[in-house]
Amino acid sequence: MKKSLLLASLLALALTACGQKDEAAVDTDADTPIVEESTTTTTVIETPEETPAEAAADNAAAEANQAADSAEAAADDAEKAADLAGEEAK
């Protein structure tokens, strides 16, 4: 019996405490605007645009790489042709 009475009183006390929190939050002036502050921060990282000189340098580098690849392929073809010619001469 004592335990149920204690439990009932604790429950009543808890409900009373919860009710007081709600009433305190509502207790504001009608003329005072409620302003919520945002704590969200947005970081914007801007990448600089490529200058015309940088674009030209990048294009020249790409063309140079293509030329080097073509030259390497031509050298390989020439080596194969030389090997075939050497074998035919034997």
Side-chain angles (χ1 to χ4, degrees):
M1 177 81 173
K2 290 181 182 180
K3 289 182 183 180
S4 62
L5 182 61
L6 180 64
L7 181 62
S9 62
L10 286 175
L11 183 59
L13 182 64
L15 290 174
T16 304
C18 290
Q20 288 176 354
K21 287 182 184 177
D22 291 337
E23 290 174 13
V26 175
D27 194 23
T28 60
D29 293 331
D31 297 336
T32 307
I34 298 174
V35 178
E36 294 183 16
E37 293 184 26
S38 175
T39 57
T40 304
T41 304
T42 303
T43 304
V44 177
I45 300 174
E46 294 184 18
T47 55
E49 292 185 23
E50 190 174 50
T51 63
E54 292 171 333
D58 288 344
N59 288 339
E63 289 176 5
N65 286 336
Q66 286 177 345
D69 291 342
S70 296
E72 186 177 342
D76 288 342
D77 290 342
E79 186 178 349
K80 288 178 185 177
D83 288 343
L84 284 174
E87 287 179 13
E88 288 179 4
K90 289 182 186 181

